[in-house]
Amino acid sequence: MTHLARTVAAPDSSLAAKADRPGRRRAGGNGGGGGRQPTVVNAMTVDVEDWFQVQAFAGRIDRATWDGQERRVEANTHRMLDLFADHGVKATFFTLGWVAERAPALVRRIVAEGHELASHGLSHRLVREQTPLEFRADVTRAKAILEDVGGVTVRGYRAATFSVGLDTPWAWEELAAAGYAYSSSINPIRHDLYGMPDAPRFAHRPQAEVPVVEVPMTTVRLGGRNLPCAGGGFFRLLPYAVFRAGVRRVNHRDGQPAVFYCHPWEVDPGQPRVSGLSRKSAFRHYLNLSRTEGRLARLLRDFAWDRMDRVYAECAAPA
């Protein structure tokens, strides 16, 4: 048994703050029993990174050229902020320190409009490609930049490409040392780039002695396996009705909030095309970009959404 398997705790459903809150709107199509069933409030999240920073392009676009690339993250994130404002939704923005340094006005708008500012690390480096000391330096620097620019405390972290796993059992300890209260870095599915299919599906403490809560990406348990239901490429691939049914199943059958994630570049069908990609990488990245914004608007209408630190009470605790 691996070290992480020994230290991963059973999921603690009490960590999820199910929100039958006064004044909270009832999500369309999400209730049941003639409106008697409380509405579960789900967590809406955005990974703020630009089109050239995704892992699929790591072998095609050198980090040294990032400052010379066409920067589209600001316009695309403003577009998402407008969409959230139209639907009265607050979200958590896991933002790269690299972006915050170059787009401080964007970070300030995120904070000013009542969204949660959280960390996506400094420059989208995979956790498993760093030593513990390098990782601590990365997340500490990112947190400092975000707090300086945004003027708020940053408690949350999400790893690039969900790269916290069995080979990085030290990650939560380093996050705690850097002052984080929670992580949302595990995707409990089987995938060729990431995944921890045996991890707990819901909020839990991976290591009892470390005060960091892990809130995994949402999955649907079906046929003895976890199926993805959290966003990203799967949201663009699956028929919307199938994805919506998955979120409803998690809310009603599991009695848990869902965690949804998306990226600003996913609402940008006009982004530059990168040559030399494998067919799989090109398919994953460019599939249905023109439909994402419309699907996201439907999702915002069909369910209740809020920030991570208000959906999960322990995410708001001091680090």
Side-chain angles (χ1 to χ4, degrees), residues 22-207:
R24 172 66 63 185
R25 66 177 176 85
R26 184 166 296 278
N30 195 36
R36 293 185 297 274
Q37 187 171 9
T39 297
V40 176
V41 179
N42 303 288
M44 175 60 61
T45 72
V46 181
D47 293 355
V48 183
E49 62 194 55
D50 220 328
W51 63 272
F52 52 83
Q53 295 172 316
V54 302
Q55 185 61 27
F57 299 163
R60 304 298 304 172
I61 301 177
D62 194 312
R63 288 175 181 272
T65 71
W66 279 8
D67 275 315
Q69 301 293 337
E70 179 186 357
R71 204 165 71 220
R72 300 171 71 91
V73 67
E74 291 153 272
N76 291 332
T77 307
H78 282 303
R79 187 172 172 181
M80 300 188 80
L81 285 163
D82 291 343
L83 183 64
F84 292 155
D86 289 343
H87 290 82
V89 167
K90 304 303 181 187
T92 293
F93 285 75
F94 291 97
T95 306
L96 288 178
W98 189 98
V99 171
E101 286 185 308
R102 291 157 178 80
L106 173 63
V107 173
R108 294 184 186 116
R109 181 186 174 189
I110 289 170
V111 172
E113 295 191 359
H115 303 284
E116 181 190 10
L117 182 64
S119 170
H120 199 31
L122 186 61
S123 57
H124 214 258
R125 292 185 62 196
L126 300 182
V127 177
R128 61 177 174 267
E129 293 181 353
Q130 302 177 67
T131 66
L133 287 178
E134 288 172 337
F135 176 68
R136 186 188 298 192
D138 181 286
V139 297
T140 299
R141 177 65 177 150
K143 189 174 190 292
I145 292 169
L146 291 165
E147 291 181 340
D148 182 57
V149 174
V152 293
T153 300
V154 169
R155 296 183 176 88
Y157 169 78
R158 176 170 290 158
T161 319
F162 307 116
S163 52
V164 168
L166 289 170
D167 50 355
T168 60
W170 40 262
W172 294 284
E173 183 177 350
E174 297 301 336
L175 287 172
Y180 291 88
Y182 77 91
S183 165
S184 184
S185 301
I186 288 178
N187 204 330
I189 63 171
R190 296 191 185 279
H191 192 280
D192 60 334
L193 296 179
Y194 55 79
M196 248 181 104
D198 295 328
R201 293 174 56 222
F202 302 113
H204 62 284
R205 290 190 186 277
Q207 297 175 341

